[in-house]
Amino acid sequence: MVKIVITAPRGQMDRLIVEAAHQRDDIQIVGGVGAPGRDYIGTDIGIAAGMGEEIGALVYDDIEKIIDACDLVVDFSTTAFSMKVLASCLAHRKALICGTTGFSKEQTEALLAAGEKIPMMKAANTSYVVNVMQKLLAEAAARLGERCKIEIIDMHSESKLDAPSGTAIEMAEAMAEHAPDKTFDDMVFHSVRAGNPPSTHRIIFGCMGEKMEISHDAYDWRCYAEGACDAVSFMAGKGPGLYTMEDVIEAG
């Protein structure tokens, strides 16, 4: 049984993670953390997340008040809040799964460096299917890179702040790593922020006279919540290191 703290429990992703984690036999939610002043501070996390029932774990306004009770923190919040969570996890040697996107270069480097001291996973996308798609894109880039131009379209709800998406960036990095003649800067991004779809990513390999398209459409945010819980189960008992969703997939 891995004991977890979940940040921003009223967030679009986090509230679904609360629900999914509560249904797992191998995960116990011991508390939540929200920004000071939020009206749900001090309430049960099940109520804060909109489940309509109490699960026996309160939401705090300071991660320091609850972090010693957990093994791992699940954080899908904001960049500023995530950096505070990171600092606390490092100080208390707690594992961290961070799904927040939009970090600066310096913040990203700090997150990745944390793997030297704690079990750390930085995952822009926790969907099992998206991470399988990453492998397909890498292979396609390796075989078609010299023959085509690669363009990435990501479509998200109008409330998403960062563009391109963290997932689109990770896809571009994977393709650039395997393409024989391309770097990250050769990838062309197109970001659409309209309406309220969970997410869509389309990668176009445009060749002369033909094109190939690999795409992923999320119909329900729950696919990410379930993937996050799979990551929690995978991280249970792990030592310091930098882990990825690919590790979760390979572990079965």
Side-chain angles (χ1 to χ4, degrees):
M1 178 76 70
V2 56
K3 297 179 180 180
I4 68 170
V5 165
I6 300 173
T7 68
R10 196 166 283 177
Q12 196 167 34
M13 261 296 298
D14 310 83
R15 63 192 304 168
L16 294 175
I17 294 174
V18 171
E19 181 180 345
H22 182 57
Q23 295 171 357
R24 298 281 185 116
D25 293 332
D26 60 339
I27 301 175
Q28 178 185 358
I29 303 172
V30 297
V33 183
R38 301 294 174 134
D39 60 5
Y40 56 83
I41 300 299
T43 64
D44 188 275
I45 195 170
I47 300 299
M51 290 176 55
E53 63 175 307
E54 295 186 355
I55 66 172
L58 298 179
V59 181
Y60 299 85
D61 61 1
D62 184 349
I63 193 170
E64 291 293 317
K65 296 178 180 179
I66 185 63
I67 193 166
D68 283 332
C70 79
D71 304 309
L72 181 150
V73 178
V74 180
D75 174 55
F76 286 68
S77 57
T78 64
T79 55
F81 199 89
S82 291
M83 298 312 292
K84 293 180 181 178
V85 170
L86 174 65
S88 188
C89 286
L90 285 169
H92 294 264
R93 292 297 189 264
K94 301 295 183 179
L96 172 61
I97 295 174
C98 182
T100 306
T101 60
F103 291 107
S104 67
K105 180 181 178 181
E106 292 75 18
Q107 290 171 327
T108 297
E109 290 174 349
L111 285 160
L112 299 180
E116 298 175 4
K117 297 180 180 179
I118 62 173
M120 175 74 207
M121 180 183 292
K122 180 181 178 297
N125 195 304
T126 52
S127 159
Y128 186 98
V129 175
V130 163
N131 283 276
V132 171
M133 179 179 169
Q134 296 264 32
K135 291 180 173 292
L136 299 178
L137 291 173
E139 181 175 354
R143 295 176 180 272
L144 296 177
E146 295 178 330
R147 298 171 176 266
C148 69
K149 182 180 180 183
I150 301 175
E151 305 212 4
I152 304 166
I153 304 171
D154 81 277
M155 294 178 275
H156 289 78
S157 68
E158 59 191 29
S159 63
K160 185 171 178 61
L161 300 178
D162 53 314
S165 69
T167 300
I169 290 172
E170 286 190 351
M171 289 176 171
E173 290 173 342
M175 290 186 288
E177 181 180 349
H178 291 84
D181 68 331
K182 288 179 173 55
T183 67
F184 180 86
D185 291 334
D186 293 318
M187 306 294 166
V188 180
F189 294 93
H190 307 276
S191 296
V192 179
R193 300 290 179 265
N196 64 340
S199 80
T200 289
H201 290 87
R202 304 199 185 287
I203 289 71
I204 298 171
F205 296 84
C207 305
M208 296 304 295
E210 58 187 336
K211 74 176 178 70
M212 182 178 77
E213 185 174 314
I214 299 177
S215 64
H216 174 269
D217 299 285
Y219 306 118
D220 191 322
W221 287 92
R222 285 176 175 80
C223 65
Y224 306 119
E226 292 294 340
C229 288
D230 289 340
V232 168
S233 298
F234 169 80
M235 293 280 279
K238 293 291 190 296
L242 190 59
Y243 300 95
T244 67
M245 282 301 296
E246 183 176 351
D247 297 323
V248 178
I249 293 172
E250 291 181 352

